[in-house]
C-alpha cells in the first residue's frame, strides 16, 4: 500500500508538481491524495486538478490561525493523508497543527539550513559571499524552518548571480531533491530495521530490560527473568513485521482481533497469552506501542520491580 501524502501550497506549486509527477513512476512508495492551499488562486491547484488530484482551497483572511489550521487538518484527515508535504506554503502553522502531524510533515526550504531561515534566502547567501546556496528538506517542528534536516543540495553561486538567477537554479535542485527524500522518508517507517530500532528503544527503556535472540527473533525480557516482547519479521514467511506482547488471555486476544483484524493477530506457536501487533501498516501509533510494552512488562515483572514502575495497580 502506498503512503498517502497531502501537499500544501500557496503559489506556483512547482515542487508539488515534482512530487506529483514522481508519484506516477512505477514503484514510487507514495501517492498524492490532496493538494490544499490557503490561496484559492494558487496556479498549482489547476495543475493538480488537471492531473485528477483532489484539491481544496480557502482564503485564510479573516480567520484566526487555529481555526484555519483546524479546517485544513479536517480536510487532510478526510483525504486519508498519512503525511503532509509543505511545498511553498507561505503560512506559519499553529502549534496544534504541527503537533498533530509531528514526525509526519516535511518542508522544503531554499537554503542550506541551518543557514538563512525565513525569507530572502538567496539574497542573504549572495550578500554573505557564500560559494553555495542550495535547498534543504526537513521535518517540521514548531520553530520555523528548524526541524531535523533529511537531505540537502548545494548549488554553486555564479559570479554576477542575482537572487532571481540563483533562485531559478535552486528551484531545479529542489525538484530533484524533494521526491526521493519524501519517498525515503515514507519508506523508512515500513522498513524492518527502522521498525526494530523504534520498538527496541521503547522496550529497552523499561526497567531491567535486556535483549536476546530467541527462535531467530529479537526478544526483550527482564534481566534473568521472563520475556515480555518479541519482534518478528517475516517469521515462517508470514510476510508480517510485528511486535508480540503479553495479554490477559484468549478473550482479550479475540476482542482485539475482532476490533482490528488487520492489525492484531494470534501469533502461531505462542498460544492465547500473546498477541501480534502489526508494525508495518504505515500508521503505527507508537505511544500505543509504548503502552503495550509497558503492560506486557508489568505482566511478567516480579512484584518488587513492578512496584518501581508505580503503576502495578493497573493490573
Ligand atoms: C520554493 O523555493 C520552496 O523552497 C519555498 O517556496 C518555493 C515554492 O516554489 N519554500 P513552488 O511553489 O514549489 O514553485
Amino acid at each position: 500500500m502506498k503512503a498517502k501524502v497531502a501537499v500544501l501550497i500557496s503559489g506556483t506549486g512547482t515542487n508539488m508538481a515534482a512530487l506529483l509527477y514522481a508519484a506516477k513512476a512505477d514503484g514510487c512508495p507514495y501517492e498524492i491524495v490532496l493538494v490544499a492551499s490557503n490561496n484559492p488562486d494558487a496556479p498549482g491547484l489547476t495543475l493538480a486538478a488537471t492531473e485528477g488530484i483532489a484539491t481544496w482551497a480557502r482564503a485564510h483572511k479573516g480567520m484566526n490561525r487555529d481555526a484555519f489550521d483546524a479546517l485544513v487538518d479536517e480536510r487532510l484527515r478526510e483525504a486519508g493523508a498519512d503525511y503532509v508535504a509543505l511545498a511553498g506554503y507561505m503560512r506559519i502553522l499553529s502549534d496544534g497543527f504541527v503537533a498533530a502531524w509531528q514526525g509526519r510533515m516535511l518542508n522544503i526550504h531554499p537554503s542550506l539550513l541551518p543557514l538563512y531561515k525565513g525569507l530572502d534566502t538567496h539574497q542573504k547567501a549572495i550578500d554573505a559571499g557564500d560559494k553555495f546556496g542550495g535547498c534543504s528538506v526537513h521535518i517540521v517542528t514548531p520553530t520555523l524552518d528548524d526541524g531535523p534536516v533529511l537531505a540537502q543540495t548545494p548549488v554553486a553561486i555564479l559570479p554576477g548571480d542575482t537572487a532571481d538567477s540563483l533562485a531559478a537554479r535552486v528551484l531545479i535542485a529542489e525538484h530533484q531533491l524533494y521526491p526521493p527524500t519524501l519517498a525515503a522518508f515514507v519508506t523508512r517507517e515500513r522498513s524492518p530495521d527502522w521498525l526494530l530500532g523504534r520498538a527496541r528503544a521503547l522496550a529497552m527503556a523499561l526497567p531491567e530490560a535486556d535483549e536476546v535472540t530467541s527462535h531467530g527473533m529479537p526478544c526483550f525480557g527482564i534481566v534473568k527473568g521472563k520475556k515480555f516482547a518479541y519482534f518478528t519479521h517475516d517469521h515462517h514467511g508470514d510476510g508480517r513485521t510485528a511486535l508480540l506482547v503479553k495479554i490477559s488471555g484468549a478473550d482479550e486476544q479475540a476482542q482485539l482481533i475482532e476490533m482490528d483484524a488487520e492489525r492484531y493477530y494470534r501469533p502461531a506457536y505462542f498460544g492465547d497469552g500473546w498477541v501480534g501487533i502489526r508494525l508495518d501498516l504505515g500508521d503505527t501509533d507508537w505511544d500505543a506501542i509504548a503502552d503495550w510494552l509497558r503492560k506486557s512488562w508489568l505482566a511478567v515483572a516480579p512484584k518488587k520491580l513492578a512496584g518501581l514502575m508505580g503503576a502495578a495497580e493497573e493490573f
Side-chain angles (χ1 to χ4, degrees):
M1 217 175 55
K2 290 183 186 252
K4 294 182 167 44
V5 176
V7 187
L8 300 189
I9 64 169
S10 299
T12 328
T14 62
N15 277 288
M16 178 275 295
L19 294 174
L20 192 161
Y21 297 142
K24 292 187 176 196
D26 281 349
C28 182
Y30 68 81
E31 61 181 322
I32 307 293
V33 292
L34 176 73
V35 174
S37 181
N38 62 328
N39 169 16
D41 301 323
L45 290 168
T46 315
L47 184 147
T50 310
E51 292 288 350
I53 308 285
T55 60
W56 177 84
R58 166 101 188 240
H60 61 258
K61 223 173 156 210
M63 279 184 89
N64 78 38
R65 197 174 298 286
D66 287 336
F68 186 80
D69 283 2
L71 217 57
V72 175
D73 187 74
E74 222 175 277
R75 292 290 98 74
L76 299 181
R77 308 228 175 242
E78 271 171 21
D82 306 311
Y83 298 91
V84 177
L86 304 180
Y89 190 60
M90 301 304 282
R91 203 167 148 70
I92 307 248
L93 299 165
S94 61
D95 286 350
F97 187 87
V98 175
W101 292 93
Q102 190 196 355
R104 302 193 158 256
M105 180 156 57
L106 304 187
N107 180 40
I108 185 149
H109 181 74
S111 80
L112 295 174
L113 290 172
L115 292 175
Y116 317 133
K117 297 174 180 178
L119 298 173
D120 297 325
T121 54
H122 307 298
Q123 193 59 54
K124 286 176 187 159
I126 292 168
D127 291 348
D130 293 350
K131 290 200 167 62
F132 292 92
C135 51
S136 310
V137 175
H138 66 97
I139 300 177
V140 176
T141 56
T143 313
L144 183 72
D145 298 331
D146 196 56
V149 171
L150 298 173
Q152 291 187 312
T153 305
V155 172
I157 297 180
L158 300 174
D161 249 339
T162 62
D164 284 348
S165 63
L166 177 58
R169 292 201 310 289
V170 169
L171 199 57
I172 297 172
E174 292 184 34
H175 300 161
Q176 306 304 311
L177 185 67
Y178 211 172
T181 307
L182 176 63
F185 187 69
V186 305
T187 308
R188 78 170 196 190
E189 288 206 14
R190 287 154 205 246
S191 94
D193 283 349
W194 191 83
L195 293 169
L196 171 58
R198 223 154 156 189
R200 174 182 283 138
L202 294 174
M204 294 301 283
L206 291 161
E208 310 255 326
D210 76 347
E211 179 176 348
V212 295
T213 302
S214 169
H215 302 283
M217 294 181 268
C219 166
F220 303 94
I222 292 175
V223 181
K224 298 203 185 92
K226 293 187 178 165
K227 313 272 183 269
F228 61 87
Y230 292 80
F231 177 87
T232 115
H233 171 62
D234 204 20
H235 201 56
H236 300 297
D238 68 2
R240 295 164 166 145
T241 304
L243 190 71
L244 311 186
V245 292
K246 294 219 76 147
I247 44 163
S248 56
D251 285 351
E252 190 179 4
Q253 194 184 59
Q255 261 170 30
L256 289 165
I257 295 169
E258 199 188 357
M259 187 180 78
D260 188 346
E262 201 190 359
R263 193 174 317 272
Y264 298 101
Y265 67 97
R266 184 176 203 278
Y269 311 108
F270 274 78
D272 295 331
W274 295 81
V275 73
I277 310 172
R278 297 278 299 262
L279 298 175
D280 52 356
L281 300 178
D283 63 349
T284 301
D285 175 347
W286 288 97
D287 291 337
I289 297 295
D291 280 348
W292 276 117
L293 284 165
R294 221 175 102 259
K295 279 200 245 170
S296 193
W297 181 94
L298 274 168
V300 304
K303 256 205 169 119
K304 239 179 152 181
L305 198 55
L308 278 181
M309 183 96 97
E313 63 278 3
E314 278 189 24
F315 276 80

